[in-house]
Structure formats: structure tokens, C-alpha cells
Amino acid sequence: METIGPARPRNATGPLRTLLTARETPRPPARRRFMMFVLPLGLLALIGLGLAADRYLADNRELPAIVIGILAAGSVLPMLVSYRLPVWAWRIAYPMMFLGVINAGRTEPWPWNSVQILGFLFVLARLAVTQSSGVTGWATAFSLVPVFLFAPDANAWGAAVLLVAIAGVGDIVYRRGRTSELLAAKLAEEEELTELERARRAVLEERTRIAREMHDVVAHHMSMIAVRAETAPYRLPGLPADAKDELAGIAVSAREALTDMRRLLGVLRSEEAEPDKAPQPTLADLGDLVETARSAGVEVTLEATDLGDGAAATVGLAAYRIVQEALANAARHAPGEPVTVEARGFPGRLELAVRNPLRRPGDRPGPATAPLAGSGHGIVGMRERATLLDGTLTAGPAGAEFVVHAVLPLAQEPA
């Protein structure tokens, strides 16, 4: 069944179902209102119970005592229930309007006793101030039925006007309360948005501060490296050709690092800024990566077979970064040792293997090699790249070699 909630029904049958069949969630009791509402109402209910029973006895309806007790309880019980379940209170009070006319004389101005009349008006008012206009409208329409069926014509129209007036005033109170709730909710939402905006502003300020410090410190030193490498042949006459070429390569690497840093700083300074677009490396760039490693003094052999051009861009980028990181690790931990890079394509997968001899304690240090740029994540970063593509990566000693082995699906994009 439906649950009665604060939302307004969208059609005529919705309020009707809410009034007649929906499961009503009890309204939470307000502690401050308990002493002001429940206790006085309970006292009035006890008094009303006695008055109702006395009224039925005074009317000489010749009813059994148990029936009189049920009718008297039914006259006051809905008022108590209305505190937390106003719809259920109306559901109890409404049938009592038909039962309350049992053995009523046709000459009586009202077939109901005064306690029942006041109790029903109270229940209708309580429903009107807590439920939507549609529910109140249906309840009022149903309430007019016993009035015109059992009340004398002279009093029926007056009673109908009173019912409609009470329901109308209650609905006005309900609408004002709903408007206040909506305004309060909107103000709370605006305050929350303000808090989020302040948090975002704080994050942006912190990112700007980090970008400023990176620019002032790191970028300055990188610029000095590039400038000194470029001007060294002019400041130091007589340098060999190999040294000039090496300095030129250092200058190029420094300039490329500065370009990458400017992209990063642009993202840090503004959350709306986007990094400069640049072509990402693919499998076809493995040869250039190996040549860069060779120029840095690493003895590298590349064995690439059946790579084709069917690999997704994400697979090519991941393969390039894995090989780049593996070469950087080999140059760092086993300088001077030969490195073999194997890249082989198979149906549905690409296998990569980067091998270099393990250096044992006591081995003579190899010749110095220039440090190679990696991703900065080491084996963890390589494994994450493979996992994102539903691939696998292992890295560790295998006999006398250290082997990085990766298997990447060729056609699968990351989730």
C-alpha cells in the first residue's frame, strides 16, 4: 500500500487513495507540545466520554449498555488518535457518523450527540491542517453525505457550510505551513551551496598556492638547467662534439619538462582550465622510446613482432608507459647492463617483457647513464595501468634476470 507522505498527489485518485487506503506514517510527537496538547485533550476525552454516554442515556434510545459505551468511545477516540494519525482519526470518526444515529428520533434537531459533533469537527480540522488540499477536499465531500442523509433540512445546510469553512481554514493553515517549510528548505539548500562554494574556493586557493610555489622553485631551476645546457658550448670553448650533443639533449629534455609543467600549472591555477592537448604516445612510438634510452647510455634491444595497428589508443598508451617505466627502473637499478624489450601481438592480447640482468652484491658498478624519465609510480603504477585495462603485470627476479611482464587485452577499453 501507499505511504502517506508530504508530497502532493498529482491527480484526483491519488488523494482519494491516501484518504481511504494508504498506510499512514505516524507523525513524530513534539515534546514541547505534549503537555500543551495531549494531556488536555486526554482530559477532555474522558469528560466527553462521560457526557456522550449520558447523552445517549438521556435520549432514551433504548440501547444496551455495551452499545452505548462503544458509541461514546467512538465519539472521543478519534480526537486522541488525530494527534499522530489524523487520517486514521477521520477513518474512525466517519463510520461513527452513521452508527451514531441508531434509534435516533426523527423529531430531534440533530441525530448525533454534541460530543460526537464537536469531536468530528475537531478531527476534520486536524486532518485539514496536516494533509494536502486534495485529501482535505475528499474528506469534506464524504463528510457532507451523513449530514444531508440524517440531519433535518433546516440544519443540514448550516452544518454543511460549517464543515466547508473549517476545512477551508485548515487548508489555508496547511498551505502556509508548507510554504514556510519549502522556504526553510530552500534557505538551508542555499546555505549548503554557500558552504560548498567556500570549500571549492579554499581548494582553488590552495591549488593556486601550490602552483605558485612550483613555478617559483621548480620551474626556475628547470629553466636554469635548460639555459646553462644551451649556453655551455659558448661559455666553455673546446668542448668535444659528443659533449655538445649531450648538452643539447639535456636542454631539449629540460624544455620538454618545462612545457609539461606549464600544462600542469595551468590546471592547478584554475578548476576550469584544461591541459594543453598533445598527441599521446602509442605502440608505434616504442622505437623512439628505445632510441631515447640508447642516447642516454642504456644498451637496449627491441624485439617487436605482430603489433599491427588494431590496438586501442588506451592499450598503446599503457604499453608505452609500462616500457618507459621499466627502462627507467633498469637504468636506475642496473646501470650499464643490457636491457631487452619484447613486444609481441597475439589474437586478442599484447604481451610485453622488459628484461635486464640482476646486479649482485660485489658487482662492479657499470658506466654512468643518464636518468630516464618514468611515470614516477614504479611497479605500482605499471600494475595499475595494466589492471585498468583488465590486464595483468608481474615484476620480479626470474633466474638471473629481473623481468617485467605485462599482458594487455588489445580491444578492451577501461571501464
Side-chain angles (χ1 to χ4, degrees):
M1 290 188 297
E2 299 176 40
T3 301
I4 297 175
R8 290 178 176 270
R10 296 183 178 180
N11 49 51
T13 59
L16 181 60
R17 289 196 301 269
T18 299
L19 180 66
L20 300 180
T21 62
R23 179 171 60 87
E24 184 178 15
T25 302
R27 295 177 173 272
R31 293 184 179 180
R32 294 182 179 178
R33 296 173 55 194
F34 183 80
M35 298 296 295
M36 300 174 56
F37 187 91
V38 177
L39 292 183
L41 186 60
L43 181 61
L44 290 176
L46 290 176
I47 298 174
L49 182 64
L51 292 176
D54 182 70
R55 175 63 180 170
Y56 280 114
L57 291 173
D59 288 344
N60 297 319
R61 296 195 184 187
E62 298 181 355
L63 296 173
I66 187 171
V67 175
I68 292 177
I70 293 174
L71 293 176
S75 300
V76 297
L77 178 63
M79 290 190 294
L80 295 176
V81 176
S82 67
Y83 175 60
R84 297 192 63 188
L85 298 167
V87 175
W88 266 109
W90 183 89
R91 291 173 184 171
I92 297 173
Y94 184 66
M96 295 304 302
M97 294 292 289
F98 292 88
L99 298 176
V101 299
I102 296 176
N103 288 355
R106 295 184 176 275
T107 58
E108 295 181 12
W110 294 105
W112 306 282
N113 66 72
S114 55
V115 175
Q116 186 177 10
I117 293 174
L118 294 176
F120 186 83
L121 293 176
F122 179 87
V123 168
L124 180 64
R126 177 69 178 161
L127 180 140
V129 299
T130 57
Q131 301 299 314
S132 67
S133 300
V135 175
T136 300
W138 278 110
T140 305
F142 279 118
S143 300
L144 294 175
V145 174
V147 171
F148 285 105
L149 282 178
F150 303 118
D153 294 339
N155 299 329
W157 285 103
V161 172
L162 180 61
L163 285 173
V164 173
I166 290 176
V169 173
D171 187 60
I172 293 174
V173 174
Y174 167 81
R175 288 174 177 270
R176 292 186 63 181
R178 286 290 296 165
T179 301
S180 300
E181 291 176 3
L182 292 175
L183 288 176
K186 187 174 181 180
L187 289 175
E189 182 180 355
E190 290 178 354
E191 290 179 0
E192 183 179 355
L193 290 177
T194 303
E195 290 292 333
L196 291 175
E197 185 63 29
R198 281 200 290 265
R200 279 181 30 179
R201 188 176 305 165
V203 171
L204 183 58
E205 290 175 355
E206 180 65 14
R207 288 168 57 176
T208 303
R209 185 186 65 81
I210 294 173
R212 183 170 57 249
E213 292 181 357
M214 288 181 64
H215 178 270
D216 293 343
V217 179
V218 182
H220 170 73
H221 290 302
M222 292 299 298
S223 298
M224 292 303 298
I225 291 172
V227 171
R228 293 185 66 179
E230 289 173 345
T231 59
Y234 305 100
R235 293 183 291 101
L236 304 173
L239 286 176
D242 292 344
K244 292 181 180 180
D245 293 340
E246 188 69 20
L247 290 170
I250 293 174
V252 171
S253 298
R255 292 297 181 188
E256 290 177 352
L258 278 172
T259 301
D260 291 338
M261 182 170 292
R262 290 192 185 98
R263 294 179 184 140
L264 176 61
L265 294 179
V267 174
L268 285 174
R269 284 195 177 101
S270 173
E271 58 185 4
E272 298 178 355
E274 296 183 355
D276 296 337
K277 299 296 188 294
Q280 295 296 321
T282 64
L283 286 175
D285 297 312
L286 287 179
D288 295 337
L289 177 61
V290 169
E291 288 299 327
T292 301
R294 287 172 181 163
S295 64
V298 182
E299 183 182 344
V300 187
T301 302
L302 174 62
E303 299 177 6
T305 57
D306 299 327
L307 296 184
D309 56 358
T314 50
V315 175
L317 176 60
Y320 183 94
R321 296 303 185 195
I322 289 173
V323 173
Q324 181 185 41
E325 189 66 45
L327 287 175
N329 288 344
R332 185 179 305 112
H333 300 295
E337 299 293 346
V339 183
T340 302
V341 178
E342 300 174 0
R344 291 186 172 87
F346 296 92
R349 74 182 192 278
L350 171 68
E351 292 194 12
L352 301 171
V354 181
R355 311 171 186 273
N356 62 273
L358 285 173
R359 294 187 65 83
R360 305 295 183 181
D363 288 352
R364 291 184 306 171
T369 57
L372 297 179
S375 67
H377 296 144
I379 295 175
V380 174
M382 291 188 288
R383 186 171 289 117
E384 287 178 352
R385 288 184 182 275
T387 302
L388 285 174
L389 297 171
D390 291 334
T392 60
L393 185 138
T394 58
E401 294 181 320
F402 188 92
V403 181
V404 176
H405 181 261
V407 179
L408 306 177
L410 278 177
Q412 187 170 354
E413 295 285 349

